[in-house]
Amino acid sequence: MGPKEEEKFIYISSLVLQEMRGTLSDENRLFLARWLQESVMNKQIYRRCLDEAQQREAYASLQHFENQRNFESIKAKVSFHPSTKRSGLLQRLWPYFAAASVLLMLSVVWYWNSDNNRPVQTQLRAVNDRLPASHQAIITLSDGRQYTLNNGEKQVVIDGSGIRYNDGHEVATINTAVSARIETPRGGTYEITLPDGTLVKLNAGTILSYPTEFAKDRREVSLQGEAYFEVSKREDQPFIVHTKNQQVQVLGTHFNINAYPTALQTKTTLLEGKVQVQELIKGQKVTLLPGDQSVHTRTELTKHPVNVQQEMAWVYGKFNFDGKSLRQVMDELSQWYAVDVVYKGDIPDVSFFGGTFRTSKLSTILNILKDQDLSYHLTNDGKLIIEKNDPKAQKGGQ
């Protein structure tokens, strides 16, 4: 995240504040309107800035922001100073409005601090930390050969002659192997281009099995975990993804499947084209159009419209915690940072909003989640212990 992107977030924040103060020019009003039309997420952030309860929560959160130098710089840029023309109510709530607007940049600033090795406040009670997932994967061929992929690369290409990195360097020849499996560990991610040109992005803790050469009448792969597919279109050769409890069939499209073995649901989200999802026990089928998601539980298969940007945040290098429960958030962090989450005592059923970059350290993420009256403790053996704060303990649970 460079200075230009950071400046854009700060600029948008200043426009929101100007609109609240009634000083927004026609030109800037048009700019803000265009920004709101860019994504559903932008509209959601904007609505939060106008919500009094979330403004108060944002203001309280910012009291814990350790890097006061950055915070003071941001305040100066977005002009926090109240106007004397404001009504009494607006004058009283102005600090909350300003704080809510600054939430537009918090993830940027936290990322910026982490990327430059500056100190970041944390709820961890130990010096341990976890770096984000890196490019890690192992390819195992059907003839027994196994290759650990170079973490300096992020993509391999499979074709009739062999397996190579995207820059052309060879990983292995195919020889007698008829199938292969690529596996990312927890804390690992990788991309693969299949023999037909289909691009697959593997999330952490995922296994994709595929033939080294597709059949003439179909292209079949098997998935465990989460992956995003950009399927090369071939009218006479459907692409089929098999998971434990369902199969997804397409001709050419962009979609995401979340099918971790420990999850209670399998989710298929469509970005482009059309897909057919079939569950394997009753044979029930649903057809998805862009913006639809199917949810397969143990008893039924349903579909509904979703916020695609939120569902696909991982593909774009972000966490999106909007509306997610504590356990849903921790499931994501467990995969991405390769930690085992342990809940101690009576944990409140809390939910979150917002998010940040997946390039952040674990301590940075926990810092963002800290205002839920919870304490986070990372042990030496990679266990993330979560417990409700003890009101009698020293502030911060340290």
Side-chain angles (χ1 to χ4, degrees):
M1 176 62 61
K4 289 185 178 180
E5 287 93 341
E6 184 182 13
E7 288 297 326
K8 180 179 179 181
F9 276 83
I10 294 173
Y11 180 61
I12 291 296
S13 298
S14 71
L15 297 189
V16 174
L17 290 171
Q18 288 173 38
E19 184 181 49
M20 292 175 180
R21 293 159 58 189
T23 60
L24 188 64
S25 68
D26 291 340
E27 179 180 356
N28 284 337
R29 190 178 304 278
L30 182 61
F31 185 94
L32 181 60
R34 285 198 297 265
W35 178 80
L36 288 171
Q37 293 301 316
E38 286 179 5
S39 71
V40 173
M41 187 180 300
N42 289 354
K43 293 178 181 177
Q44 291 174 340
I45 293 173
Y46 175 77
R47 285 196 293 269
R48 291 194 195 103
C49 289
L50 305 180
D51 183 279
E52 180 180 342
Q54 294 191 12
Q55 290 155 4
R56 292 180 186 274
E57 182 177 347
Y59 186 70
S61 297
L62 288 175
Q63 308 314 301
H64 300 287
F65 197 8
E66 184 176 338
N67 195 328
Q68 288 298 320
R69 181 177 58 184
N70 279 354
F71 184 40
E72 294 301 326
S73 173
I74 292 168
K75 287 200 298 183
K77 290 179 181 178
V78 299
S79 182
F80 267 47
H81 307 293
S83 167
T84 55
K85 297 180 180 180
R86 236 182 253 105
S87 68
L89 176 63
L90 189 58
Q91 180 84 14
R92 179 168 54 84
L93 294 179
W94 184 246
Y96 304 121
F97 290 144
S101 182
V102 169
L103 280 182
L104 291 169
M105 302 95 62
L106 279 184
S107 61
V108 176
V109 174
W110 275 321
Y111 170 74
W112 191 254
N113 290 341
S114 175
D115 190 49
N116 288 280
N117 296 314
R118 297 173 184 165
V120 178
Q121 182 181 355
T122 177
Q123 282 281 109
L124 294 176
R125 294 205 303 262
V127 296
N128 305 313
D129 205 346
R130 280 290 190 277
L131 294 175
S134 58
H135 299 127
Q136 303 177 55
I138 295 174
I139 286 186
T140 304
L141 299 176
S142 58
D143 59 12
R145 287 179 290 154
Q146 191 174 80
Y147 301 90
T148 299
L149 298 180
N150 183 353
N151 60 14
E153 303 288 342
K154 71 173 187 177
Q155 184 181 51
V156 288
V157 178
I158 313 296
D159 59 26
S161 61
I163 304 171
R164 65 181 185 278
Y165 293 115
N166 199 41
D167 64 2
H169 286 83
E170 185 179 86
V171 176
T173 56
I174 295 298
N175 293 340
T176 60
V178 296
S179 65
R181 182 183 71 192
I182 181 170
E183 178 176 358
T184 57
R186 290 197 306 166
T189 181
Y190 229 83
E191 298 178 10
I192 179 172
T193 299
L194 296 173
D196 66 330
T198 291
L199 173 66
V200 187
K201 297 184 178 182
L202 306 179
N203 204 346
T206 296
I207 301 173
L208 181 74
S209 301
Y210 55 93
T212 54
E213 184 178 353
F214 287 121
K216 292 183 179 180
D217 62 341
R218 70 188 67 179
R219 297 169 286 170
E220 295 183 276
V221 301
S222 296
L223 175 70
Q224 177 180 299
E226 183 170 23
Y228 165 71
F229 295 81
E230 293 184 358
V231 177
S232 178
K233 188 170 184 178
R234 296 189 180 183
E235 296 286 352
D236 59 346
Q237 195 183 27
F239 191 97
I240 303 170
V241 182
H242 298 275
T243 63
K244 182 179 179 181
N245 299 311
Q246 72 174 33
Q247 70 176 32
V248 177
Q249 179 169 321
V250 306
L251 295 178
T253 185
H254 297 182
F255 62 98
N256 189 82
I257 298 179
N258 184 316
Y260 284 105
T262 56
L264 299 178
Q265 300 175 330
T266 298
K267 297 180 180 180
T268 305
T269 308
L270 183 63
L271 284 76
E272 179 182 304
K274 183 170 68 174
V275 307
Q276 183 185 80
V277 182
Q278 179 179 359
E279 59 92 17
L280 301 180
I281 298 176
K282 299 178 182 178
Q284 184 183 2
K285 300 178 182 179
V286 296
T287 299
L288 304 184
L289 298 177
D292 286 343
Q293 180 182 82
S294 68
V295 178
H296 180 219
T297 65
R298 295 177 180 176
T299 59
E300 63 179 343
L301 177 67
T302 59
K303 75 170 183 177
H304 58 275
V306 293
N307 180 338
V308 171
Q309 284 195 330
Q310 177 176 356
E311 295 296 322
M312 299 302 300
W314 77 270
V315 175
Y316 306 117
K318 299 178 181 178
F319 287 109
N320 188 316
F321 300 138
D322 279 344
K324 292 183 179 179
S325 68
L326 174 66
R327 281 173 168 77
Q328 287 175 316
V329 169
M330 290 303 144
D331 283 347
E332 287 190 53
L333 300 185
S334 174
Q335 292 290 347
W336 195 246
Y337 293 96
V339 294
D340 297 314
V341 181
V342 178
Y343 301 95
K344 294 183 64 176
D346 185 20
I347 303 298
D349 184 18
V350 298
S351 59
F352 299 89
F353 73 85
T356 188
F357 298 94
R358 295 171 79 92
T359 50
S360 301
K361 295 179 181 179
L362 177 58
S363 58
T364 304
I365 304 296
L366 297 181
N367 184 59
I368 295 173
L369 302 179
K370 67 181 172 17
D371 294 311
Q372 296 289 347
D373 199 26
L374 296 172
S375 178
Y376 305 87
H377 177 203
L378 185 62
T379 66
N380 290 328
D381 59 352
K383 289 184 174 61
L384 178 59
I385 299 173
I386 301 175
E387 55 189 332
K388 188 174 176 62
N389 283 333
D390 183 353
K392 297 180 181 180
Q394 193 176 26
K395 183 179 178 182
Q398 298 281 328

Coordinates of all heavy atoms in Angstrom, one line a residue, residues 133-180:
A133 N 0.1 -15.5 5.7 CA 0.4 -16.7 4.8 C 1.3 -16.2 3.7 O 1.3 -15.1 3.2 CB -0.9 -17.2 4.2
S134 N 2.2 -17.1 3.3 CA 3.1 -16.8 2.2 C 2.9 -17.9 1.1 O 2.0 -18.7 1.2 CB 4.6 -16.9 2.7 OG 4.8 -18.2 3.3
H135 N 3.6 -17.7 0.0 CA 3.5 -18.6 -1.1 C 4.1 -20.0 -0.8 O 5.3 -20.1 -1.0 CB 4.0 -18.0 -2.4 CG 3.3 -16.7 -2.8 ND1 4.0 -15.6 -3.0 CD2 2.0 -16.5 -2.9 CE1 3.1 -14.6 -3.3 NE2 1.9 -15.1 -3.3
Q136 N 3.3 -20.9 -0.4 CA 3.8 -22.3 0.0 C 2.9 -23.3 -0.6 O 1.7 -23.2 -0.5 CB 3.8 -22.5 1.5 CG 4.6 -21.5 2.3 CD 4.5 -21.7 3.8 OE1 4.7 -22.8 4.3 NE2 4.1 -20.7 4.5
A137 N 3.4 -24.4 -1.2 CA 2.6 -25.5 -1.7 C 3.6 -26.6 -2.0 O 4.8 -26.5 -2.2 CB 1.9 -25.1 -2.9
I138 N 3.0 -27.8 -2.0 CA 3.6 -29.0 -2.4 C 2.8 -29.7 -3.5 O 1.6 -29.8 -3.4 CB 3.8 -30.0 -1.2 CG1 4.7 -29.4 -0.1 CG2 4.3 -31.4 -1.6 CD1 4.7 -30.2 1.2
I139 N 3.5 -30.1 -4.5 CA 2.9 -30.9 -5.6 C 3.3 -32.3 -5.5 O 4.5 -32.6 -5.4 CB 3.3 -30.3 -7.0 CG1 2.5 -29.0 -7.3 CG2 2.9 -31.3 -8.1 CD1 2.7 -28.4 -8.6
T140 N 2.4 -33.2 -5.5 CA 2.6 -34.7 -5.5 C 2.1 -35.3 -6.8 O 0.9 -35.2 -7.1 CB 2.0 -35.3 -4.3 OG1 2.5 -34.7 -3.1 CG2 2.4 -36.8 -4.2
L141 N 2.9 -36.0 -7.5 CA 2.5 -36.6 -8.8 C 2.1 -38.1 -8.5 O 2.5 -38.7 -7.5 CB 3.6 -36.6 -9.8 CG 4.1 -35.2 -10.2 CD1 5.3 -35.3 -11.2 CD2 3.0 -34.4 -10.8
S142 N 1.3 -38.6 -9.4 CA 0.7 -40.0 -9.1 C 1.8 -41.0 -9.2 O 1.6 -42.1 -8.7 CB -0.3 -40.3 -10.2 OG 0.2 -40.2 -11.5
D143 N 3.0 -40.8 -9.7 CA 4.0 -41.8 -9.7 C 4.9 -41.6 -8.5 O 6.0 -42.3 -8.4 CB 4.9 -41.6 -11.0 CG 5.5 -40.3 -11.1 OD1 5.5 -39.5 -10.2 OD2 6.0 -40.0 -12.2
G144 N 4.5 -40.8 -7.5 CA 5.2 -40.8 -6.2 C 6.2 -39.6 -6.1 O 6.6 -39.3 -5.0
R145 N 6.5 -38.9 -7.1 CA 7.4 -37.7 -7.0 C 6.7 -36.6 -6.3 O 5.5 -36.3 -6.5 CB 7.9 -37.3 -8.4 CG 8.9 -38.3 -9.1 CD 9.3 -37.8 -10.5 NE 8.1 -37.9 -11.4 CZ 8.0 -37.1 -12.5 NH1 8.9 -36.2 -12.7 NH2 6.9 -37.3 -13.3
Q146 N 7.5 -35.9 -5.5 CA 6.9 -34.8 -4.7 C 7.9 -33.6 -4.8 O 9.1 -33.7 -4.7 CB 6.7 -35.2 -3.3 CG 5.9 -34.2 -2.5 CD 5.6 -34.7 -1.1 OE1 6.4 -34.7 -0.2 NE2 4.4 -35.3 -0.9
Y147 N 7.3 -32.4 -4.9 CA 8.1 -31.2 -5.1 C 7.6 -30.1 -4.2 O 6.4 -29.8 -4.2 CB 8.1 -30.7 -6.6 CG 8.6 -31.7 -7.5 CD1 7.7 -32.6 -8.1 CD2 9.9 -31.8 -7.9 CE1 8.2 -33.6 -9.0 CE2 10.4 -32.7 -8.7 CZ 9.6 -33.6 -9.3 OH 10.0 -34.6 -10.2
T148 N 8.4 -29.5 -3.4 CA 8.1 -28.3 -2.6 C 8.3 -27.1 -3.5 O 9.4 -26.8 -4.0 CB 9.0 -28.2 -1.4 OG1 8.7 -29.4 -0.6 CG2 8.6 -27.0 -0.5
L149 N 7.3 -26.3 -3.7 CA 7.3 -25.2 -4.6 C 8.1 -24.0 -4.0 O 8.0 -23.8 -2.7 CB 5.9 -24.7 -5.0 CG 5.1 -25.8 -5.8 CD1 3.8 -25.3 -6.1 CD2 5.9 -26.2 -7.0
N150 N 8.8 -23.3 -4.8 CA 9.6 -22.1 -4.4 C 8.7 -21.0 -3.8 O 7.8 -20.6 -4.5 CB 10.4 -21.6 -5.6 CG 11.3 -20.5 -5.2 OD1 11.3 -20.0 -4.1 ND2 12.1 -20.1 -6.2
N151 N 8.9 -20.6 -2.6 CA 8.1 -19.5 -2.0 C 8.4 -18.2 -2.6 O 7.8 -17.2 -2.3 CB 8.2 -19.5 -0.5 CG 9.6 -19.3 0.0 OD1 10.4 -18.9 -0.7 ND2 9.8 -19.5 1.3
G152 N 9.5 -18.1 -3.4 CA 9.7 -16.8 -4.1 C 8.8 -16.6 -5.4 O 8.8 -15.6 -5.9
E153 N 8.2 -17.7 -5.7 CA 7.2 -17.7 -6.8 C 5.8 -17.8 -6.2 O 5.6 -18.1 -5.1 CB 7.4 -18.8 -7.8 CG 8.8 -18.8 -8.4 CD 9.1 -17.7 -9.4 OE1 8.1 -17.2 -9.9 OE2 10.2 -17.5 -9.7
K154 N 4.8 -17.5 -7.1 CA 3.4 -17.7 -6.5 C 2.5 -18.5 -7.4 O 1.3 -18.7 -7.1 CB 2.8 -16.3 -6.3 CG 2.4 -15.5 -7.6 CD 1.7 -14.3 -7.2 CE 1.2 -13.6 -8.5 NZ 0.4 -12.4 -8.2
Q155 N 3.0 -18.9 -8.6 CA 2.1 -19.6 -9.6 C 2.9 -20.7 -10.3 O 4.1 -20.4 -10.7 CB 1.5 -18.6 -10.5 CG 0.5 -19.3 -11.5 CD -0.1 -18.2 -12.4 OE1 0.7 -17.5 -13.1 NE2 -1.4 -18.2 -12.5
V156 N 2.3 -21.8 -10.6 CA 2.8 -22.8 -11.5 C 1.9 -23.1 -12.6 O 0.7 -22.9 -12.5 CB 3.1 -24.2 -10.7 CG1 4.3 -24.0 -9.8 CG2 1.9 -24.7 -10.0
V157 N 2.4 -23.5 -13.7 CA 1.6 -23.8 -14.9 C 1.8 -25.2 -15.3 O 2.9 -25.7 -15.3 CB 2.1 -22.9 -16.1 CG1 1.3 -23.2 -17.4 CG2 2.0 -21.4 -15.7
I158 N 0.7 -25.9 -15.6 CA 0.7 -27.3 -16.0 C 0.3 -27.4 -17.5 O -0.7 -26.8 -17.9 CB -0.3 -28.1 -15.2 CG1 -0.2 -27.8 -13.7 CG2 -0.2 -29.6 -15.4 CD1 1.1 -28.2 -13.1
D159 N 1.1 -28.1 -18.2 CA 0.8 -28.4 -19.6 C 1.3 -29.8 -20.0 O 1.8 -30.5 -19.1 CB 1.3 -27.3 -20.6 CG 2.8 -27.1 -20.5 OD1 3.5 -28.1 -20.2 OD2 3.2 -26.0 -20.9
G160 N 1.1 -30.2 -21.2 CA 1.5 -31.5 -21.6 C 3.0 -31.8 -21.4 O 3.3 -33.0 -21.3
S161 N 3.8 -30.9 -21.4 CA 5.3 -31.1 -21.2 C 5.8 -31.2 -19.8 O 6.8 -31.8 -19.5 CB 6.1 -30.1 -22.0 OG 5.8 -28.8 -21.4
G162 N 5.0 -30.6 -18.9 CA 5.5 -30.6 -17.5 C 4.9 -29.5 -16.6 O 3.9 -28.9 -17.0
I163 N 5.5 -29.3 -15.5 CA 5.1 -28.3 -14.6 C 6.2 -27.2 -14.5 O 7.4 -27.6 -14.3 CB 4.9 -28.9 -13.2 CG1 3.9 -30.0 -13.3 CG2 4.4 -27.8 -12.2 CD1 3.8 -30.9 -12.0
R164 N 5.9 -26.0 -14.6 CA 6.9 -24.9 -14.5 C 6.3 -23.7 -13.8 O 5.1 -23.5 -13.7 CB 7.3 -24.5 -15.9 CG 6.3 -23.9 -16.8 CD 6.8 -23.5 -18.2 NE 5.8 -22.8 -18.9 CZ 4.7 -23.3 -19.6 NH1 4.6 -24.6 -19.6 NH2 3.9 -22.6 -20.2
Y165 N 7.2 -22.9 -13.3 CA 6.8 -21.6 -12.7 C 6.3 -20.7 -13.8 O 6.6 -20.9 -15.0 CB 7.9 -21.0 -11.9 CG 8.3 -21.8 -10.7 CD1 9.6 -22.4 -10.6 CD2 7.4 -21.9 -9.6 CE1 9.9 -23.1 -9.4 CE2 7.8 -22.7 -8.5 CZ 9.0 -23.3 -8.4 OH 9.3 -24.0 -7.3
N166 N 5.6 -19.6 -13.4 CA 5.1 -18.7 -14.3 C 6.1 -18.0 -15.2 O 5.9 -17.5 -16.3 CB 4.2 -17.7 -13.6 CG 3.2 -17.0 -14.5 OD1 2.7 -17.5 -15.4 ND2 3.1 -15.7 -14.3
D167 N 7.4 -17.9 -14.6 CA 8.4 -17.3 -15.3 C 9.2 -18.2 -16.3 O 10.2 -17.8 -16.9 CB 9.5 -16.7 -14.3 CG 10.2 -17.7 -13.5 OD1 9.9 -18.9 -13.7 OD2 11.0 -17.3 -12.6
G168 N 8.7 -19.5 -16.4 CA 9.3 -20.4 -17.3 C 10.2 -21.4 -16.7 O 10.5 -22.5 -17.4
H169 N 10.7 -21.3 -15.5 CA 11.6 -22.2 -14.9 C 10.8 -23.6 -14.6 O 9.7 -23.6 -14.1 CB 12.2 -21.7 -13.6 CG 13.2 -20.7 -13.8 ND1 12.9 -19.3 -14.1 CD2 14.6 -20.8 -13.9 CE1 14.1 -18.7 -14.2 NE2 15.1 -19.5 -14.1
E170 N 11.5 -24.7 -15.0 CA 10.8 -26.0 -14.8 C 10.8 -26.5 -13.4 O 11.8 -26.4 -12.7 CB 11.5 -27.0 -15.7 CG 10.8 -28.4 -15.8 CD 11.5 -29.3 -16.7 OE1 12.4 -30.0 -16.2 OE2 11.1 -29.4 -17.9
V171 N 9.7 -27.0 -13.0 CA 9.6 -27.7 -11.7 C 9.8 -29.2 -11.9 O 10.5 -29.9 -11.1 CB 8.2 -27.4 -11.0 CG1 8.1 -28.2 -9.7 CG2 8.0 -25.9 -10.8
A172 N 9.1 -29.8 -12.8 CA 9.1 -31.2 -13.1 C 8.6 -31.6 -14.5 O 7.8 -30.8 -15.0 CB 8.3 -32.0 -12.0
T173 N 9.0 -32.7 -15.0 CA 8.4 -33.2 -16.2 C 7.3 -34.2 -15.8 O 7.2 -34.7 -14.7 CB 9.4 -34.0 -17.0 OG1 10.0 -35.1 -16.2 CG2 10.5 -33.1 -17.5
I174 N 6.3 -34.4 -16.7 CA 5.2 -35.2 -16.4 C 5.5 -36.7 -16.4 O 5.2 -37.4 -15.5 CB 4.0 -35.0 -17.4 CG1 3.5 -33.5 -17.2 CG2 2.9 -35.9 -17.2 CD1 2.9 -33.2 -15.9
N175 N 6.3 -37.1 -17.4 CA 6.7 -38.5 -17.6 C 5.4 -39.4 -17.5 O 4.5 -39.2 -18.3 CB 7.7 -38.9 -16.5 CG 9.1 -38.2 -16.7 OD1 9.3 -37.7 -17.8 ND2 9.9 -38.2 -15.7
T176 N 5.4 -40.4 -16.6 CA 4.3 -41.4 -16.5 C 3.2 -40.9 -15.6 O 2.2 -41.6 -15.5 CB 4.9 -42.7 -16.0 OG1 5.4 -42.5 -14.7 CG2 5.9 -43.3 -16.9
A177 N 3.3 -39.8 -15.0 CA 2.3 -39.3 -14.0 C 1.0 -39.0 -14.8 O 1.0 -38.3 -15.8 CB 2.7 -38.1 -13.2
V178 N -0.2 -39.5 -14.3 CA -1.4 -39.2 -15.0 C -2.3 -38.2 -14.2 O -3.3 -37.7 -14.7 CB -2.2 -40.5 -15.2 CG1 -1.5 -41.5 -16.1 CG2 -2.5 -41.2 -13.9
S179 N -1.9 -38.0 -12.9 CA -2.6 -37.0 -12.1 C -1.7 -36.4 -11.1 O -0.5 -36.9 -10.9 CB -3.8 -37.7 -11.4 OG -3.3 -38.7 -10.4
A180 N -2.1 -35.4 -10.5 CA -1.3 -34.6 -9.5 C -2.2 -34.0 -8.5 O -3.4 -33.9 -8.6 CB -0.5 -33.6 -10.2

